[in-house]
Amino acid sequence: MKKMGKKKKKRKQKQDNTNSIFAILAAALSNSNNNYSEFIIKKCLNRLRLSLLSQSQPTLPIPILSLLPVLLNSKCSGGIAGLSAEIVGAASLLSLETNEKIAADAEIVRGLVSLLRNSEKRVLVAAANAVLDLSTTSVGRQKLLESSALEALLLIFRQVHRSSTLVSLCAGENGNEASLCIACKEDEFLVLLLDAAIVLINSCDIEQLLRIPRKLYESLLVFLKELWIKVQDQLLSGNIMRSNREKHFCSSKITVNSLAESIFRLSLNADQFTIISKERVERSIFSSNEGSFENFIVNYWEASPFLVRSTDSLIEGNDIFTSFVQDELDILSFLNDVRHKLGCPLVHEQDIRVLKTDKISKKEVHFFPRISDSFDVKDPYLIYADDISKCEEAYKEGYTIALRGMEFRFECLANIADGLASLFGQPSVGANMYLTPPNSQGLACHYDDHCVFVCQLFGTKHWKIFAQPSVQLPRLYHPCDIVNGVEAESSTAECRQFLLREGDILYIPRGFPHKACTEDDGLTGSAEFSLHLTLGVEVERPFEWEGFAHVALCCWNQAQKIHHHASVESFSGILNLMSVNLLHLLIGLLGHSDPTFRKACLVGAVSRPSDTEDWFYLNQKTIFDELIGKISADSRFLELLSSMEMAIRENTDPFQQMRWLQLLDWNRETLEGHDRNLPFTGAEIMFPLYAEHKDMAETAFMQVKSKFCSEVSFEDVIERYKMLLGKYKETRKQYINGMLSLHCN
């Protein structure tokens, strides 16, 4: 009982002290134009600050909280404003509740941000520290962003003198790469600014990032990239200190990951690469009459391998590749050069593979440990400086060096990939590079889930391409179940052979098993090394013909609603909406079974939809008309109804693969909170009534299908489809911009 009495007594004393401080502060603030009042205010604030720092004060009382806006905006000497900022910072660290209470007070946050424009360094340091403390919660970060704290920090950064910064990496508490802290041998205030700015940058959403004026963040981005180069060098060399105190560096809260993320985010809207027109790409690859683009699309695209012979090497005759290969003539120094452009450290299998195919077992042998061989997939094998020299040794032992995601690491390759993607109306093209020594085979026989253009840069390589074992094309990231490479090699199926020399380009459709090796070309009497680039045209599901058919149905259905104003609450409205949902499901089933629906839709590459005499336009329209005919002829109502019923019973979503349709941005009309423009909208609500009247539902479905197939217009779909493609391409561009900033230094 005595102990409880003492605790109550202490709480009462603290309450009395708080009330006394509040009363004294309020009185002094009412007459703050004399030195004595200023002295009293500072004394009270110092006392309050010390109690918060010692945590003897468990929270910041509301009366004191109410005075902070006035104190932060004090026109007296900077001491009062600075002390007030320190109190905000200390209180922000007391508890989540106190932090969010402070953040919720817009006047306090605005007052704190205004101090970031103060001319006194002491006040600036206090304000920046308080911003960093308030940023420890998501609410605090968002309120600071809303009050333009990031812009204020960036403005200060532009005005701060920066000398040549030395960087040292310090292992964090966990001791892993993700927790490495960066210590700078620089002014402590600069490090503080970096800490606060990076925290807020990494808390921005896309819209907030795009609203930051470029003039404000350009100097910071340049500085961060310079910092990143130094960090990369130390990561690659493994030069990591156990403690930043060893060399008297300023302590920083910046981790390697947070630094990389901030550079990536600030680069999203940068102009990192020059766009190469699709016409230029077309001329560079399909220049001869025999190899014309029209001939290629009509007879070879996604149907058969195709070889473009070059009379000149790519260095001399093909302008889109010249900027890339002109600096890579010394093959022996290739590995040393590329390590600086790939980013550090490299992740084995993600960024680089070092492998060869055993001639007897025909299986791949990997030089470094594979991720799949590790018990912990989250702990991949990282490539450091010592491993680079091992790569050179591996090359001499017959291993191929395969470098992946090259479009993220070389600006000129990003240009080429973007141009090729535009030529085929797709969002993205990936680029990989393969350096193979003489008398060797890198990858085992395999097929790809994307179409590949093999560009022979140096040396020669012998290719074998086997017949497509399935008429159904493999989907990106979801290959269909076709025979593996070993079975393809041992089968009696047709095999075509190609010898690629410098300047040649070989097209391999997705789903065609193939292998390549460096062996005697039959002319020189000796085998050569090979350096080739593969450009993979990645066809995502929305940009297959199935995806175009879904967009067409959405466009037609939207037009119906505009013209007929049918109410979804009525029985006829439910019949129509459920019938549209089932029609989407039918298109999905056709995508699984009919090869044409899975082919790449190239409508995004059609330049002039009004030019009905253009061969490309006519080619794409012919395919569309063929697909509409197949939809019209298909009648699987009972199967569709059964699959819908099973999905609802098992609580699964048969329309999961087409949720991307929400990106079409229609004017929203909802049914009990559901968007009726999306497939499967409110099906669980409407389905019982729909299934109960099966005969009427089937009649409605057949009518909707017939009406759609007879009324849908190819021309009306193109604009909306291109809008969807544009969104995918914009996201891809932002990603490449961020990656290029991290890798092209």
Side-chain angles (χ1 to χ4, degrees):
M1 292 291 292
K2 288 183 178 181
K3 287 184 179 180
M4 290 181 65
K6 287 181 179 180
K7 287 182 179 179
K8 286 183 180 179
K9 189 175 182 180
K10 282 186 178 181
R11 279 200 298 267
K12 188 176 186 309
Q13 286 176 346
K14 287 178 181 178
Q15 184 65 43
D16 291 342
N17 288 339
T18 300
N19 292 337
S20 298
I21 291 175
F22 172 73
I24 295 170
L25 279 174
L29 283 170
S30 65
N31 187 26
S32 59
N33 294 326
N34 60 72
N35 293 335
Y36 182 72
S37 294
E38 186 176 327
F39 170 77
I40 293 295
I41 293 172
K42 286 182 181 180
K43 188 172 182 179
C44 288
L45 292 178
N46 264 315
R47 186 175 174 181
L48 183 60
R49 179 177 65 88
L50 290 173
S51 67
L52 289 171
L53 290 173
S54 65
Q55 295 189 336
S56 61
Q57 182 80 32
T59 185
L60 193 64
I62 292 177
I64 300 293
L65 204 65
S66 65
L67 294 178
L68 283 177
V70 179
L71 292 165
L72 289 168
N73 289 287
S74 171
K75 300 301 180 184
C76 299
S77 68
I80 292 178
L83 283 169
S84 302
E86 289 177 17
I87 288 170
V88 170
S92 297
L93 298 177
L94 284 177
S95 67
L96 176 66
E97 181 185 359
T98 304
N99 184 293
E100 293 183 351
K101 192 182 292 184
I102 293 171
D105 192 318
E107 292 299 318
I108 294 178
V109 178
R110 277 197 290 268
L112 182 61
V113 172
S114 69
L115 293 184
L116 293 174
R117 303 181 183 91
N118 198 287
S119 57
E120 291 185 45
K121 188 171 181 180
R122 178 187 166 189
V123 176
L124 282 175
V125 170
N129 268 312
V131 165
L132 199 55
D133 294 335
L134 191 56
S135 298
T136 52
T137 67
S138 58
V139 174
R141 293 190 292 272
Q142 285 308 312
K143 294 301 181 182
L144 285 166
L145 287 170
E146 291 170 11
S147 300
S148 303
L150 178 56
E151 287 82 352
L153 289 168
L154 294 176
L155 189 60
I156 299 171
F157 184 84
R158 290 179 63 187
Q159 300 166 351
V160 172
H161 172 72
R162 299 181 297 278
S163 58
S164 179
T165 305
L166 299 176
V167 175
S168 187
L169 298 182
C170 313
E173 293 179 2
N174 298 329
N176 57 36
E177 280 71 17
S179 65
L180 290 177
C181 292
I182 300 167
C184 303
K185 195 169 186 179
E186 188 63 90
D187 179 78
E188 288 188 13
F189 181 52
L190 176 61
V191 175
L192 175 61
L193 285 177
L194 287 176
D195 282 344
I198 286 176
V199 167
L200 293 182
I201 288 167
N202 292 346
S203 302
C204 288
D205 58 30
I206 294 296
E207 291 183 3
Q208 289 170 327
L209 284 170
L210 297 182
R211 283 199 298 266
I212 303 173
R214 181 172 293 188
K215 288 183 179 179
L216 272 184
Y217 71 75
E218 273 181 341
S219 60
L220 176 63
L221 182 56
V222 170
F223 181 81
L224 293 181
K225 286 168 119 177
E226 292 172 354
L227 201 62
W228 179 244
I229 294 172
K230 296 171 183 177
V231 168
Q232 284 180 311
D233 289 340
Q234 295 204 27
L235 274 177
L236 188 63
S237 63
N239 185 16
I240 301 170
M241 295 191 304
R242 283 172 294 182
S243 169
N244 62 323
R245 295 175 185 173
E246 293 181 21
K247 295 186 178 180
H248 308 290
F249 277 57
C250 299
S251 178
S252 166
K253 298 182 186 296
I254 305 169
T255 66
V256 174
N257 283 358
S258 63
L259 174 61
E261 183 183 349
S262 62
I263 294 171
F264 187 97
R265 284 167 166 267
L266 289 177
S267 304
L268 292 180
N269 206 34
D271 297 322
Q272 292 282 34
F273 57 95
T274 305
I275 295 175
I276 296 180
S277 69
K278 61 183 182 180
E279 290 79 15
R280 184 179 171 192
V281 176
E282 181 182 334
R283 286 195 308 269
S284 298
I285 300 176
F286 307 101
S287 55
S288 65
N289 291 330
E290 180 182 318
S292 71
F293 187 54
E294 179 178 356
N295 175 53
F296 173 76
I297 291 295
V298 173
N299 298 308
Y300 296 94
W301 172 248
E302 293 189 315
S304 176
F306 180 73
L307 177 64
V308 178
R309 286 287 182 198
S310 176
T311 54
D312 302 306
S313 74
L314 286 179
I315 301 174
E316 298 170 355
N318 202 326
D319 60 341
I320 68 168
F321 294 102
T322 303
S323 61
F324 172 68
V325 300
Q326 64 186 1
D327 296 324
E328 305 296 339
L329 295 177
D330 185 0
I331 293 302
L332 295 179
S333 65
F334 177 79
L335 289 173
N336 286 327
D337 292 341
V338 85
R339 74 172 114 167
H340 301 296
K341 298 178 181 179
L342 287 181
C344 308
L346 303 178
V347 178
H348 183 237
E349 293 195 67
Q350 174 183 294
D351 302 314
I352 183 171
R353 288 180 291 173
V354 183
L355 74 168
K356 65 181 178 180
T357 296
D358 183 78
K359 294 182 179 179
I360 299 175
S361 68
K362 297 182 180 179
K363 294 182 178 180
E364 291 176 358
V365 179
H366 291 258
F367 188 77
F368 294 110
R370 301 193 66 189
I371 294 177
S372 56
D373 297 335
S374 172
F375 290 105
D376 186 5
V377 178
K378 296 180 181 179
D379 188 24
Y381 187 86
L382 302 179
I383 306 293
Y384 291 100
D386 292 343
D387 294 311
I388 296 296
S389 59
K390 291 179 183 177
C391 287
E392 296 179 19
E393 294 172 13
Y395 174 81
K396 295 174 183 177
E397 294 175 15
Y399 285 86
T400 289
I401 313 297
L403 303 171
R404 309 176 76 177
M406 300 293 281
E407 74 276 19
F408 303 132
R409 311 172 194 285
F410 290 92
E411 182 181 334
C412 49
L413 281 184
N415 299 340
I416 295 169
D418 182 73
L420 192 62
S422 297
L423 180 62
F424 290 100
Q426 299 300 315
S428 61
V429 164
N432 296 342
M433 185 170 291
Y434 301 86
L435 177 63
T436 304
N439 292 309
S440 183
Q441 177 183 339
L443 276 65
C445 187
H446 67 284
Y447 70 92
D448 294 309
D449 57 9
H450 51 274
C451 293
V452 169
F453 286 88
V454 179
C455 309
Q456 190 67 30
L457 301 179
F458 295 105
T460 60
K461 204 160 198 178
H462 185 257
W463 290 78
K464 287 185 179 180
I465 304 177
F466 300 90
Q468 184 184 14
S470 171
V471 294
Q472 192 68 292
L473 294 170
R475 274 189 162 133
L476 195 65
Y477 312 125
H478 298 283
C480 58
D481 186 19
I482 66 175
V483 296
N484 60 40
V486 175
E487 291 173 334
E489 285 189 86
S490 59
S491 71
T492 57
E494 175 190 359
C495 172
R496 298 183 63 184
Q497 301 190 44
F498 302 89
L499 179 65
L500 293 195
R501 300 186 181 90
E502 291 180 11
D504 292 343
I505 299 175
L506 175 63
Y507 167 73
I508 306 174
R510 50 181 167 146
F512 279 68
H514 55 273
K515 66 175 184 176
C517 59
T518 49
E519 58 184 26
D520 185 357
D521 60 9
L523 296 176
T524 62
S526 62
E528 296 185 40
F529 74 91
S530 167
L531 177 65
H532 79 262
L533 177 74
T534 64
L535 298 168
V537 182
E538 300 165 342
V539 182
E540 300 184 52
R541 190 180 288 248
F543 306 106
E544 298 174 344
W545 275 109
E546 179 197 327
F548 191 85
H550 284 303
V551 176
L553 178 54
C554 284
C555 290
W556 174 82
N557 188 42
Q558 180 70 11
Q560 297 299 301
K561 288 186 292 184
I562 292 173
H563 290 110
H564 301 293
H565 305 288
S567 172
V568 71
E569 284 79 12
S570 67
F571 180 62
S572 61
I574 290 174
L575 286 177
N576 282 330
L577 182 54
M578 283 299 298
S579 295
V580 170
N581 282 336
L582 257 66
L583 193 49
H584 275 297
L585 188 56
L586 173 61
I587 292 170
L589 290 177
L590 287 170
H592 284 292
S593 59
D594 191 299
T596 309
F597 278 81
R598 197 173 285 194
K599 286 182 175 290
C601 174
L602 308 185
V603 172
V606 174
S607 300
R608 299 180 299 278
S610 58
D611 187 359
T612 55
E613 299 302 316
D614 179 68
W615 72 267
F616 197 24
Y617 172 88
L618 293 174
N619 171 270
Q620 296 296 286
K621 187 178 186 303
T622 299
I623 297 174
F624 177 72
D625 292 341
E626 178 188 344
L627 297 180
I628 293 299
K630 291 184 177 184
I631 294 172
S632 178
D634 196 294
S635 180
R636 282 188 266 183
F637 174 76
L638 293 179
E639 180 184 343
L640 295 170
L641 197 69
S642 176
S643 64
M644 181 79 83
E645 183 179 16
M646 184 179 294
I648 292 174
R649 186 168 60 248
E650 296 179 355
N651 197 28
T652 59
D653 184 2
F655 294 94
Q656 182 61 41
Q657 297 298 330
M658 56 190 76
R659 288 298 174 184
W660 50 265
L661 287 168
Q662 62 188 324
L663 297 172
L664 291 175
D665 285 342
W666 302 109
N667 292 325
R668 300 303 186 195
E669 182 179 351
T670 61
L671 171 65
E672 297 187 23
H674 296 277
D675 186 347
R676 61 172 294 195
N677 291 292
L678 298 180
F680 209 37
T681 295
E684 68 281 0
I685 301 172
M686 297 180 288
F687 183 77
L689 182 62
Y690 189 74
E692 182 182 345
H693 300 83
K694 189 178 298 184
D695 292 340
M696 296 177 68
E698 183 173 7
T699 300
F701 172 76
M702 297 304 291
Q703 287 176 347
V704 167
K705 181 162 71 72
S706 175
K707 195 172 175 62
F708 164 66
C709 292
S710 62
E711 294 179 355
V712 68
S713 167
F714 178 66
E715 290 78 8
D716 292 344
V717 185
I718 292 177
E719 181 181 354
R720 184 65 63 172
Y721 179 80
K722 284 191 170 183
M723 188 181 300
L724 177 69
L725 176 64
K727 289 186 176 184
Y728 273 75
K729 288 185 71 70
E730 179 62 26
T731 301
R732 175 73 173 185
K733 181 181 178 182
Q734 289 176 339
Y735 184 73
I736 289 181
N737 281 338
M739 294 298 286
L740 286 176
S741 276
L742 292 173
H743 294 294
C744 293
N745 296 311

